[in-house]
Amino acid sequence: GSAGGASWNAPWLDVAPVPHQDSASAGPNAWVRMGVQVFHAKFGEGTVLNVEGAGDDARAQVNFPRHGMKWLALSVAKLTQV
């Protein structure tokens, strides 16, 4: 049982410079960051708790009072700032 080809080593990843959080969150969703109040068409208003990824892969963990915590892909979820 292999791990789907995920068992190979990529040593060059260890020496690559780690981008700063600001440069990673550039783009149309750069305003989405921890503590920001957002509005979602389906879930209503919520607060951003966490953001990970960048560009089209970026996603945010948002706490919606009525619906609980949701992970939303920023490229799909059309969040607006409250």
Side-chain angles (χ1 to χ4, degrees):
S2 76
S7 58
W8 54 273
N9 286 351
W12 60 87
L13 291 179
D14 295 335
V15 295
V18 177
H20 293 294
Q21 198 69 25
D22 291 341
S23 64
S25 59
N29 297 307
W31 61 271
V32 180
R33 56 186 71 231
M34 238 165 46
V36 173
Q37 298 283 324
V38 297
F39 179 82
H40 185 275
K42 183 177 177 184
F43 302 127
E45 287 188 24
T47 305
V48 178
L49 300 182
N50 206 346
V51 180
E52 68 178 35
D56 289 338
D57 296 326
R59 53 196 203 119
Q61 185 182 30
V62 183
N63 183 27
F64 296 100
R66 297 194 188 121
H67 300 276
M69 284 193 289
K70 307 280 185 188
W71 275 104
L72 303 172
L74 297 183
S75 59
V76 178
K78 304 299 180 203
L79 295 174
T80 52
Q81 194 165 3
V82 177

